[in-house]
Amino acid sequence: MESKFKKLKEEAIMALKAVKDKIDLESLENKILGRKSGELTDLMKELKDMNAEAKKAVGQIANEVKKEIESALEQKKRELSESDWQKSLAKEKIDITAPSLPPFERGHFHPNTIVQRDLEDLFSSMGFLILDGPELESEYYNFTAVNIPVDHPARDSQDSFYIKNHPNWLMRTQTSSVQVRAMQKYGAPLRMISPGKCFRNEATDVRHEHTFYQLEGVVIDENINFGHMKGVLEIVAKHLYGKDTEVRLRPKFYPFVEPGVNGEVTCFLCKGKGCRLCKETGWLEILGAGMIHPNVLREGDVDSKKYQGFAFGFGLTRLAMLKYGIDDIRLLESGDIRFLKQF
Ligand code: PHE
């Protein structure tokens, strides 16, 4: 009798191992423990006919067997009800000693873009609009509208790339082409900058390139004077090169401003003492500026009696070269990955 119980237990445990799902488990449970005809139930019934002493001994074993089978069934039930993700999680482990993946190479901005974005942030903090203008431009916006008529010598100093069979179209030579576009679109008062690519037909060398970047600015309002202009330019200079930086404005002719100036800042390398970078002058030329010529305001449909304004143009490419100590302008448009990787 005793061995019958033990055998039943072994068989039950074996059968349980093979169980794969809840349905199998349920039928196995029925087969062993079922009230009417379970194998264990039947065996238990046989105990009734035994004498008291044997009943006591075997009964104990029978109870133990029953308990063991029940707990094995219970355990299997729990295993089967764990969800798939719990199972795969239990199997997973992280080997913290494994070598990491090779570093993921991230892209980054071109030096021109870094300088441009920095200035865009500064100017938008002062309430300037940031405008775009077309690179393929009409002769009108690039020259005529900014007070450079057809026979003006300034046209020769800014030779560009013209479009075959379209003599009135060219690659813009300066971002000043956006001045009148902006006035016509937004009117006065106006506060805007417009950074972007410019093109000139140059014989290239370390200081000249056919493609480069400028950042134009225009401020128009009532009672705007030269002092406002100098104030804005000083803010930019100090932002770029530190609070001790000074701005020097000296007269220079540009057809679209009157008076016009050429703007320099204290050389950040020698602090004004004179060095190779500033060609011993102590100053670095970085911009052109001036009070907007009434002809240009009129061209932009701005009432030149009521409004005044100033305009400025930074050499963005030049700023990037100064910032990073780049001594050959041609590197910037070269697309040379060895150069670009350094920024
Ligand atoms: N457009 C001028 C240049 O390319 C710079 C400039 C802009 C000067 C605005 C005065 C005012 O040289």
mmCIF file of all heavy atoms in Angstrom, residues 7 10 44 58 76 87 196-197 229 244 248 254 278 286 289-290 309 315 321 335:
data_model
loop_
_atom_site.group_PDB
_atom_site.id
_atom_site.type_symbol
_atom_site.label_atom_id
_atom_site.label_comp_id
_atom_site.label_asym_id
_atom_site.label_seq_id
_atom_site.Cartn_x
_atom_site.Cartn_y
_atom_site.Cartn_z
ATOM 1 N N LYS A 7 4.633 5.438 -5.549
ATOM 2 C CA LYS A 7 4.690 5.311 -7.007
ATOM 3 C C LYS A 7 3.801 6.391 -7.654
ATOM 4 O O LYS A 7 4.181 7.054 -8.613
ATOM 5 C CB LYS A 7 4.212 3.919 -7.424
ATOM 6 C CG LYS A 7 4.624 3.550 -8.825
ATOM 7 C CD LYS A 7 4.377 2.068 -9.096
ATOM 8 C CE LYS A 7 4.318 1.846 -10.592
ATOM 9 N NZ LYS A 7 3.015 1.341 -11.018
ATOM 10 N N GLU A 10 5.533 9.692 -7.592
ATOM 11 C CA GLU A 10 6.567 9.835 -8.629
ATOM 12 C C GLU A 10 5.958 10.055 -10.010
ATOM 13 O O GLU A 10 6.392 10.919 -10.768
ATOM 14 C CB GLU A 10 7.465 8.594 -8.639
ATOM 15 C CG GLU A 10 8.654 8.774 -7.712
ATOM 16 C CD GLU A 10 9.236 7.429 -7.258
ATOM 17 O OE1 GLU A 10 9.228 6.475 -8.059
ATOM 18 O OE2 GLU A 10 9.661 7.365 -6.072
ATOM 19 N N MET A 44 -6.990 6.489 -1.551
ATOM 20 C CA MET A 44 -7.380 6.869 -0.206
ATOM 21 C C MET A 44 -8.580 6.048 0.271
ATOM 22 O O MET A 44 -8.673 5.650 1.432
ATOM 23 C CB MET A 44 -7.736 8.367 -0.138
ATOM 24 C CG MET A 44 -6.572 9.303 -0.441
ATOM 25 S SD MET A 44 -5.494 9.456 0.957
ATOM 26 C CE MET A 44 -5.318 11.200 1.112
ATOM 27 N N VAL A 58 -0.123 4.035 7.198
ATOM 28 C CA VAL A 58 -0.225 4.357 5.771
ATOM 29 C C VAL A 58 -0.902 5.720 5.556
ATOM 30 O O VAL A 58 -0.538 6.488 4.676
ATOM 31 C CB VAL A 58 -0.969 3.237 5.009
ATOM 32 C CG1 VAL A 58 -1.054 3.573 3.527
ATOM 33 C CG2 VAL A 58 -0.270 1.910 5.211
ATOM 34 N N LYS A 76 3.358 24.664 -10.321
ATOM 35 C CA LYS A 76 3.220 24.655 -11.781
ATOM 36 C C LYS A 76 2.214 25.730 -12.219
ATOM 37 O O LYS A 76 2.408 26.420 -13.201
ATOM 38 C CB LYS A 76 2.754 23.268 -12.240
ATOM 39 C CG LYS A 76 2.847 23.050 -13.740
ATOM 40 C CD LYS A 76 4.288 22.845 -14.153
ATOM 41 C CE LYS A 76 4.438 22.814 -15.663
ATOM 42 N NZ LYS A 76 5.845 22.590 -16.055
ATOM 43 N N LYS A 87 8.869 36.245 -17.926
ATOM 44 C CA LYS A 87 9.769 35.113 -18.169
ATOM 45 C C LYS A 87 11.047 35.567 -18.855
ATOM 46 O O LYS A 87 12.144 35.192 -18.466
ATOM 47 C CB LYS A 87 9.063 34.064 -19.032
ATOM 48 C CG LYS A 87 8.248 33.110 -18.188
ATOM 49 C CD LYS A 87 7.683 32.023 -19.065
ATOM 50 C CE LYS A 87 6.197 31.912 -18.792
ATOM 51 N NZ LYS A 87 5.466 31.266 -19.871
ATOM 52 N N GLY A 196 23.330 85.147 -44.413
ATOM 53 C CA GLY A 196 23.276 84.228 -45.553
ATOM 54 C C GLY A 196 24.483 84.292 -46.466
ATOM 55 O O GLY A 196 25.425 85.046 -46.261
ATOM 56 N N LYS A 197 24.387 83.460 -47.517
ATOM 57 C CA LYS A 197 25.484 83.287 -48.461
ATOM 58 C C LYS A 197 25.534 84.406 -49.479
ATOM 59 O O LYS A 197 24.483 84.851 -49.953
ATOM 60 C CB LYS A 197 25.233 82.003 -49.256
ATOM 61 C CG LYS A 197 26.134 80.854 -48.884
ATOM 62 C CD LYS A 197 25.824 79.679 -49.794
ATOM 63 C CE LYS A 197 26.304 78.406 -49.127
ATOM 64 N NZ LYS A 197 25.912 77.220 -49.876
ATOM 65 N N MET A 229 23.117 103.334 -33.525
ATOM 66 C CA MET A 229 23.871 102.375 -34.329
ATOM 67 C C MET A 229 25.122 101.928 -33.588
ATOM 68 O O MET A 229 25.408 100.737 -33.459
ATOM 69 C CB MET A 229 24.257 103.000 -35.674
ATOM 70 C CG MET A 229 24.982 102.030 -36.569
ATOM 71 S SD MET A 229 25.448 102.800 -38.121
ATOM 72 C CE MET A 229 27.003 103.529 -37.667
ATOM 73 N N ASP A 244 35.662 94.290 -22.523
ATOM 74 C CA ASP A 244 36.632 95.379 -22.707
ATOM 75 C C ASP A 244 36.826 95.765 -24.178
ATOM 76 O O ASP A 244 37.630 96.645 -24.492
ATOM 77 C CB ASP A 244 37.989 94.989 -22.097
ATOM 78 C CG ASP A 244 37.869 94.805 -20.585
ATOM 79 O OD1 ASP A 244 37.027 95.517 -19.983
ATOM 80 O OD2 ASP A 244 38.580 93.954 -20.022
ATOM 81 N N ARG A 248 35.665 100.890 -33.210
ATOM 82 C CA ARG A 248 36.151 102.111 -33.873
ATOM 83 C C ARG A 248 35.438 102.218 -35.218
ATOM 84 O O ARG A 248 35.456 101.277 -36.017
ATOM 85 C CB ARG A 248 37.670 102.013 -34.083
ATOM 86 C CG ARG A 248 38.237 103.216 -34.812
ATOM 87 C CD ARG A 248 39.743 103.272 -34.714
ATOM 88 N NE ARG A 248 40.404 102.401 -35.692
ATOM 89 C CZ ARG A 248 41.714 102.467 -35.962
ATOM 90 N NH1 ARG A 248 42.493 103.316 -35.315
ATOM 91 N NH2 ARG A 248 42.260 101.653 -36.856
ATOM 92 N N TYR A 254 29.794 103.711 -48.776
ATOM 93 C CA TYR A 254 28.909 102.677 -49.324
ATOM 94 C C TYR A 254 27.735 103.438 -49.920
ATOM 95 O O TYR A 254 27.166 104.315 -49.244
ATOM 96 C CB TYR A 254 28.392 101.743 -48.231
ATOM 97 C CG TYR A 254 29.442 100.908 -47.544
ATOM 98 C CD1 TYR A 254 29.923 101.271 -46.292
ATOM 99 C CD2 TYR A 254 29.939 99.743 -48.137
ATOM 100 C CE1 TYR A 254 30.877 100.498 -45.642
ATOM 101 C CE2 TYR A 254 30.889 98.972 -47.506
ATOM 102 C CZ TYR A 254 31.356 99.354 -46.253
ATOM 103 O OH TYR A 254 32.301 98.601 -45.624
ATOM 104 N N CYS A 278 46.243 91.340 -36.361
ATOM 105 C CA CYS A 278 45.651 92.639 -36.707
ATOM 106 C C CYS A 278 46.622 93.468 -37.556
ATOM 107 O O CYS A 278 46.429 94.671 -37.708
ATOM 108 C CB CYS A 278 45.247 93.386 -35.443
ATOM 109 S SG CYS A 278 46.602 93.652 -34.302
ATOM 110 N N ILE A 286 35.597 94.211 -39.074
ATOM 111 C CA ILE A 286 34.611 93.118 -39.173
ATOM 112 C C ILE A 286 33.277 93.531 -39.793
ATOM 113 O O ILE A 286 32.413 92.699 -40.009
ATOM 114 C CB ILE A 286 34.330 92.465 -37.796
ATOM 115 C CG1 ILE A 286 33.827 93.492 -36.774
ATOM 116 C CG2 ILE A 286 35.566 91.746 -37.260
ATOM 117 C CD1 ILE A 286 33.262 92.848 -35.501
ATOM 118 N N ALA A 289 28.847 99.781 -42.074
ATOM 119 C CA ALA A 289 27.572 100.243 -41.518
ATOM 120 C C ALA A 289 27.329 101.700 -41.899
ATOM 121 O O ALA A 289 28.184 102.351 -42.521
ATOM 122 C CB ALA A 289 27.574 100.101 -39.999
ATOM 123 N N GLY A 290 26.171 102.221 -41.508
ATOM 124 C CA GLY A 290 25.884 103.622 -41.775
ATOM 125 C C GLY A 290 24.409 103.922 -41.643
ATOM 126 O O GLY A 290 23.588 103.026 -41.417
ATOM 127 N N GLY A 309 17.027 105.472 -40.211
ATOM 128 C CA GLY A 309 17.449 104.122 -39.828
ATOM 129 C C GLY A 309 18.924 103.918 -40.056
ATOM 130 O O GLY A 309 19.597 104.751 -40.666
ATOM 131 N N GLY A 315 30.850 90.639 -41.736
ATOM 132 C CA GLY A 315 31.426 89.538 -42.511
ATOM 133 C C GLY A 315 31.397 88.289 -41.641
ATOM 134 O O GLY A 315 32.279 88.078 -40.823
ATOM 135 N N MET A 321 36.417 82.905 -39.087
ATOM 136 C CA MET A 321 37.862 82.723 -39.240
ATOM 137 C C MET A 321 38.613 83.276 -38.031
ATOM 138 O O MET A 321 39.558 82.663 -37.523
ATOM 139 C CB MET A 321 38.355 83.406 -40.516
ATOM 140 C CG MET A 321 37.878 82.697 -41.776
ATOM 141 S SD MET A 321 38.341 83.583 -43.265
ATOM 142 C CE MET A 321 40.093 83.233 -43.354
ATOM 143 N N GLY A 335 34.655 71.513 -48.011
ATOM 144 C CA GLY A 335 34.025 70.223 -47.742
ATOM 145 C C GLY A 335 35.038 69.185 -47.297
ATOM 146 O O GLY A 335 34.743 67.984 -47.299
#
